[in-house]
Amino acid sequence: SYELTQPLSVSVALGQTARITCGGNNIGNKIVHWYQQKPGQAPVLVIYTDSNRPSGIPERFSGSNSGSTATLTISRAQAGDEADFYCQVWDSNTAIFGGGTMLTVL
Amino acid sequence: QITLKESGPTLVQPTQTLTLTCTFSGFSLDTSGVGVGWIRQPPGKALEWLALIYWDDNKHYSPSLKSRLTITKDTSKNQVVLAMTNMDPVDTATYFCAHTLTAGQLGYWGQGTLVTVSS
């Protein structure tokens, strides 16, 4: 079965750029979505179809996908960005989530 | 405005069947391309996708749980129901339902409902 690999945690200094990766076999050939989940809340879609932002998501959030890695980039990180982030793809009519990455803003 | 809300028991005994209802508004499940899915999250753990039903009644299930899951829709009531048989303590989790489009993104989520499996 298809697997997605994310780092357990990523730290970023306030105002700097955070990059969260999502690895998978030829993931560049798949469509990747990203979700942000704050404690006690439901996940929120922040990037869909590799690099598109839903309305209401700041331009500081961007995404890319190529080869074996998809990347969520958060520019000018803010304290309010601290959360768990999950990537997600579809494979053989099955939705697959990565294990999640905890983002800490220092 | 799209909203979804999960409802069902908060406590289930082992071996029982869990039945959860997702009641939604702001969209119709007879619109081409629209689907509603279920996702769960054990305490402190990652998201796990369970099942999805589309506007055309096409259904998809997690391969590891397929034998235990049934997803159905009632378009007239704007509801999607998930049944999970033979519940076990490891099934303790927050269960979410979510709206999806054909690209597969889960754009709108319910608040989730915590289900505890215990005798």
Side-chain angles (χ1 to χ4, degrees):
Chain A
S1 62
Y2 195 81
E3 293 185 357
L4 296 174
T5 301
Q6 297 183 238
L8 284 176
S9 63
V10 167
S11 297
V12 61
L14 186 68
Q16 297 304 303
T17 297
R19 294 178 179 84
I20 299 173
T21 58
C22 177
N25 186 29
N26 288 324
I27 195 174
N29 292 332
K30 296 186 178 297
I31 294 172
V32 180
H33 312 298
W34 290 92
Y35 304 88
Q36 177 188 44
Q37 186 181 30
K38 297 182 179 180
Q41 298 183 17
V44 172
L45 179 70
V46 293
I47 292 290
Y48 68 96
T49 319
D50 295 343
S51 59
N52 297 281
R53 277 178 295 105
S55 60
I57 300 301
E59 292 183 5
R60 301 185 296 104
F61 288 79
S62 62
S64 63
N65 183 21
S66 179
S68 61
T69 305
T71 303
L72 173 68
T73 301
I74 306 170
S75 304
R76 303 182 299 282
Q78 301 177 358
D81 297 334
E82 282 202 342
D84 294 327
F85 290 85
Y86 295 89
C87 56
Q88 179 241 317
V89 301
W90 281 86
D91 181 76
S92 301
N93 290 322
T94 300
I96 296 166
F97 287 98
T101 298
M102 178 184 298
L103 177 67
T104 300
V105 180
L106 304 173
Chain B
Q1 179 189 2
I2 290 177
T3 64
L4 304 96
K5 187 172 184 179
E6 307 85 354
S7 59
T10 58
L11 180 65
V12 175
Q13 292 195 343
T15 74
Q16 284 190 332
T17 294
L18 169 68
T19 301
L20 294 171
T21 300
C22 177
T23 303
F24 56 86
S25 63
F27 67 95
S28 176
L29 241 186
D30 58 11
T31 299
S32 178
V34 174
V36 172
W38 286 92
I39 305 95
R40 72 178 179 180
Q41 185 173 39
K45 296 189 177 181
L47 300 170
E48 178 184 19
W49 177 79
L50 300 176
L52 172 65
I53 189 166
Y54 279 112
W55 84 101
D56 59 357
D57 210 37
N58 197 8
K59 304 168 186 177
H60 302 299
Y61 295 101
S62 165
S64 62
L65 293 168
K66 185 175 183 177
S67 64
R68 299 174 53 203
L69 296 174
T70 302
I71 190 169
T72 58
K73 63 181 176 70
D74 186 331
T75 304
S76 65
K77 293 182 179 180
N78 281 352
Q79 291 181 334
V80 170
V81 174
L82 180 74
M84 179 180 290
T85 61
N86 195 24
M87 293 292 285
D88 184 272
V90 299
D91 296 313
T92 294
T94 296
Y95 287 75
F96 298 97
C97 62
H99 167 281
T100 188
L101 296 174
T102 48
Q105 72 271 34
L106 301 162
Y108 300 89
W109 295 63
Q111 63 189 21
T113 184
L114 175 61
V115 178
T116 301
V117 184
S118 174
S119 56

